[in-house]
mmCIF file of all heavy atoms in Angstrom:
data_model
loop_
_atom_site.group_PDB
_atom_site.id
_atom_site.type_symbol
_atom_site.label_atom_id
_atom_site.label_comp_id
_atom_site.label_asym_id
_atom_site.label_seq_id
_atom_site.Cartn_x
_atom_site.Cartn_y
_atom_site.Cartn_z
ATOM 1 N N ILE A 260 16.285 16.133 8.352
ATOM 2 C CA ILE A 260 17.020 17.155 7.591
ATOM 3 C C ILE A 260 17.342 18.350 8.484
ATOM 4 O O ILE A 260 16.486 18.832 9.227
ATOM 5 C CB ILE A 260 16.196 17.605 6.363
ATOM 6 C CG1 ILE A 260 16.031 16.432 5.388
ATOM 7 C CG2 ILE A 260 16.845 18.795 5.665
ATOM 8 C CD1 ILE A 260 15.143 16.726 4.190
ATOM 9 N N ASN A 261 18.581 18.806 8.394
ATOM 10 C CA ASN A 261 19.018 19.981 9.144
ATOM 11 C C ASN A 261 18.516 21.236 8.433
ATOM 12 O O ASN A 261 18.870 21.489 7.287
ATOM 13 C CB ASN A 261 20.548 19.982 9.238
ATOM 14 C CG ASN A 261 21.083 21.145 10.055
ATOM 15 O OD1 ASN A 261 20.318 21.836 10.734
ATOM 16 N ND2 ASN A 261 22.387 21.360 9.996
ATOM 17 N N VAL A 262 17.675 22.007 9.114
ATOM 18 C CA VAL A 262 17.138 23.222 8.508
ATOM 19 C C VAL A 262 17.899 24.416 9.065
ATOM 20 O O VAL A 262 17.869 24.677 10.262
ATOM 21 C CB VAL A 262 15.635 23.373 8.799
ATOM 22 C CG1 VAL A 262 15.096 24.627 8.112
ATOM 23 C CG2 VAL A 262 14.881 22.142 8.318
ATOM 24 N N VAL A 263 18.594 25.118 8.178
ATOM 25 C CA VAL A 263 19.379 26.267 8.606
ATOM 26 C C VAL A 263 18.571 27.530 8.339
ATOM 27 O O VAL A 263 18.315 27.890 7.182
ATOM 28 C CB VAL A 263 20.725 26.320 7.854
ATOM 29 C CG1 VAL A 263 21.521 27.556 8.266
ATOM 30 C CG2 VAL A 263 21.521 25.048 8.110
ATOM 31 N N LEU A 264 18.138 28.172 9.429
ATOM 32 C CA LEU A 264 17.414 29.434 9.285
ATOM 33 C C LEU A 264 18.421 30.522 8.952
ATOM 34 O O LEU A 264 19.415 30.714 9.658
ATOM 35 C CB LEU A 264 16.698 29.778 10.596
ATOM 36 C CG LEU A 264 16.130 31.207 10.673
ATOM 37 C CD1 LEU A 264 15.019 31.415 9.642
ATOM 38 C CD2 LEU A 264 15.640 31.509 12.083
ATOM 39 N N THR A 265 18.163 31.233 7.875
ATOM 40 C CA THR A 265 19.082 32.302 7.484
ATOM 41 C C THR A 265 18.467 33.649 7.845
ATOM 42 O O THR A 265 17.269 33.745 8.115
ATOM 43 C CB THR A 265 19.374 32.252 5.970
ATOM 44 O OG1 THR A 265 18.168 32.519 5.243
ATOM 45 C CG2 THR A 265 19.891 30.867 5.575
ATOM 46 N N ALA A 266 19.302 34.683 7.831
ATOM 47 C CA ALA A 266 18.803 36.012 8.182
ATOM 48 C C ALA A 266 18.001 36.607 7.027
ATOM 49 O O ALA A 266 17.121 37.435 7.233
ATOM 50 C CB ALA A 266 19.971 36.918 8.548
ATOM 51 N N HIS A 267 18.305 36.165 5.828
ATOM 52 C CA HIS A 267 17.722 36.766 4.623
ATOM 53 C C HIS A 267 17.655 35.662 3.578
ATOM 54 O O HIS A 267 18.547 34.819 3.512
ATOM 55 C CB HIS A 267 18.657 37.901 4.167
ATOM 56 C CG HIS A 267 18.110 38.794 3.095
ATOM 57 N ND1 HIS A 267 17.871 38.368 1.822
ATOM 58 C CD2 HIS A 267 17.777 40.103 3.116
ATOM 59 C CE1 HIS A 267 17.402 39.379 1.092
ATOM 60 N NE2 HIS A 267 17.341 40.448 1.868
ATOM 61 N N GLU A 268 16.617 35.684 2.749
ATOM 62 C CA GLU A 268 16.510 34.627 1.737
ATOM 63 C C GLU A 268 17.666 34.669 0.742
ATOM 64 O O GLU A 268 18.100 33.641 0.234
ATOM 65 C CB GLU A 268 15.175 34.716 0.983
ATOM 66 C CG GLU A 268 13.967 34.286 1.809
ATOM 67 C CD GLU A 268 13.329 35.442 2.578
ATOM 68 O OE1 GLU A 268 13.940 36.535 2.621
ATOM 69 O OE2 GLU A 268 12.233 35.253 3.127
ATOM 70 N N GLN A 269 18.166 35.874 0.443
ATOM 71 C CA GLN A 269 19.311 35.929 -0.476
ATOM 72 C C GLN A 269 20.479 35.144 0.113
ATOM 73 O O GLN A 269 21.191 34.426 -0.601
ATOM 74 C CB GLN A 269 19.744 37.377 -0.747
ATOM 75 C CG GLN A 269 20.834 37.460 -1.814
ATOM 76 C CD GLN A 269 21.368 38.871 -2.017
ATOM 77 O OE1 GLN A 269 20.719 39.863 -1.691
ATOM 78 N NE2 GLN A 269 22.573 38.957 -2.563
ATOM 79 N N GLY A 270 20.651 35.274 1.431
ATOM 80 C CA GLY A 270 21.695 34.505 2.105
ATOM 81 C C GLY A 270 21.477 33.014 1.902
ATOM 82 O O GLY A 270 22.421 32.263 1.628
ATOM 83 N N ALA A 271 20.219 32.585 2.011
ATOM 84 C CA ALA A 271 19.910 31.161 1.825
ATOM 85 C C ALA A 271 20.315 30.689 0.432
ATOM 86 O O ALA A 271 20.873 29.602 0.257
ATOM 87 C CB ALA A 271 18.422 30.922 2.053
ATOM 88 N N SER A 272 20.042 31.520 -0.569
ATOM 89 C CA SER A 272 20.364 31.112 -1.941
ATOM 90 C C SER A 272 21.878 31.011 -2.142
ATOM 91 O O SER A 272 22.358 30.080 -2.785
ATOM 92 C CB SER A 272 19.748 32.084 -2.951
ATOM 93 O OG SER A 272 20.251 33.397 -2.764
ATOM 94 N N HIS A 273 22.628 31.955 -1.575
ATOM 95 C CA HIS A 273 24.095 31.884 -1.713
ATOM 96 C C HIS A 273 24.678 30.732 -0.890
ATOM 97 O O HIS A 273 25.703 30.163 -1.254
ATOM 98 C CB HIS A 273 24.748 33.192 -1.272
ATOM 99 C CG HIS A 273 24.418 34.370 -2.147
ATOM 100 N ND1 HIS A 273 24.268 34.262 -3.512
ATOM 101 C CD2 HIS A 273 24.212 35.673 -1.853
ATOM 102 C CE1 HIS A 273 23.992 35.455 -4.010
ATOM 103 N NE2 HIS A 273 23.941 36.329 -3.026
ATOM 104 N N MET A 274 24.027 30.405 0.241
ATOM 105 C CA MET A 274 24.505 29.268 1.030
ATOM 106 C C MET A 274 24.318 27.970 0.242
ATOM 107 O O MET A 274 25.211 27.121 0.202
ATOM 108 C CB MET A 274 23.762 29.191 2.363
ATOM 109 C CG MET A 274 24.203 30.271 3.344
ATOM 110 S SD MET A 274 23.232 30.230 4.857
ATOM 111 C CE MET A 274 23.283 31.969 5.312
ATOM 112 N N ALA A 275 23.154 27.843 -0.386
ATOM 113 C CA ALA A 275 22.917 26.658 -1.215
ATOM 114 C C ALA A 275 23.965 26.591 -2.327
ATOM 115 O O ALA A 275 24.505 25.529 -2.643
ATOM 116 C CB ALA A 275 21.510 26.701 -1.805
ATOM 117 N N ASP A 276 24.265 27.736 -2.885
ATOM 118 C CA ASP A 276 25.247 27.843 -3.966
ATOM 119 C C ASP A 276 26.658 27.484 -3.457
ATOM 120 O O ASP A 276 27.358 26.648 -4.053
ATOM 121 C CB ASP A 276 25.173 29.286 -4.496
ATOM 122 C CG ASP A 276 26.218 29.622 -5.541
ATOM 123 O OD1 ASP A 276 27.383 29.248 -5.346
ATOM 124 O OD2 ASP A 276 25.881 30.283 -6.536
ATOM 125 N N GLY A 277 27.060 28.062 -2.326
ATOM 126 C CA GLY A 277 28.380 27.755 -1.758
ATOM 127 C C GLY A 277 28.485 26.286 -1.373
ATOM 128 O O GLY A 277 29.527 25.650 -1.559
ATOM 129 N N TYR A 278 27.380 25.754 -0.845
ATOM 130 C CA TYR A 278 27.324 24.335 -0.475
ATOM 131 C C TYR A 278 27.579 23.466 -1.703
ATOM 132 O O TYR A 278 28.382 22.528 -1.680
ATOM 133 C CB TYR A 278 25.938 24.045 0.106
ATOM 134 C CG TYR A 278 25.698 22.614 0.509
ATOM 135 C CD1 TYR A 278 26.037 22.151 1.784
ATOM 136 C CD2 TYR A 278 25.104 21.710 -0.376
ATOM 137 C CE1 TYR A 278 25.803 20.842 2.161
ATOM 138 C CE2 TYR A 278 24.871 20.400 -0.004
ATOM 139 C CZ TYR A 278 25.219 19.972 1.256
ATOM 140 O OH TYR A 278 24.990 18.672 1.626
ATOM 141 N N SER A 279 26.905 23.824 -2.781
ATOM 142 C CA SER A 279 27.034 23.052 -4.012
ATOM 143 C C SER A 279 28.436 23.163 -4.605
ATOM 144 O O SER A 279 29.008 22.178 -5.059
ATOM 145 C CB SER A 279 25.987 23.553 -5.005
ATOM 146 O OG SER A 279 26.080 22.851 -6.193
ATOM 147 N N ARG A 280 28.999 24.366 -4.597
ATOM 148 C CA ARG A 280 30.326 24.548 -5.198
ATOM 149 C C ARG A 280 31.426 23.873 -4.388
ATOM 150 O O ARG A 280 32.491 23.565 -4.912
ATOM 151 C CB ARG A 280 30.657 26.041 -5.317
ATOM 152 C CG ARG A 280 29.779 26.755 -6.315
ATOM 153 C CD ARG A 280 30.413 28.067 -6.713
ATOM 154 N NE ARG A 280 29.396 29.067 -7.009
ATOM 155 C CZ ARG A 280 29.594 30.094 -7.835
ATOM 156 N NH1 ARG A 280 30.744 30.259 -8.437
ATOM 157 N NH2 ARG A 280 28.632 30.963 -8.043
#
Side-chain angles (χ1 to χ4, degrees):
Chain A
I260 295 175
N261 182 12
V262 182
V263 178
L264 169 65
T265 65
H267 190 293
E268 288 90 350
Q269 186 185 338
S272 61
H273 294 324
M274 286 176 210
D276 175 316
Y278 179 88
S279 180
R280 292 198 212 206

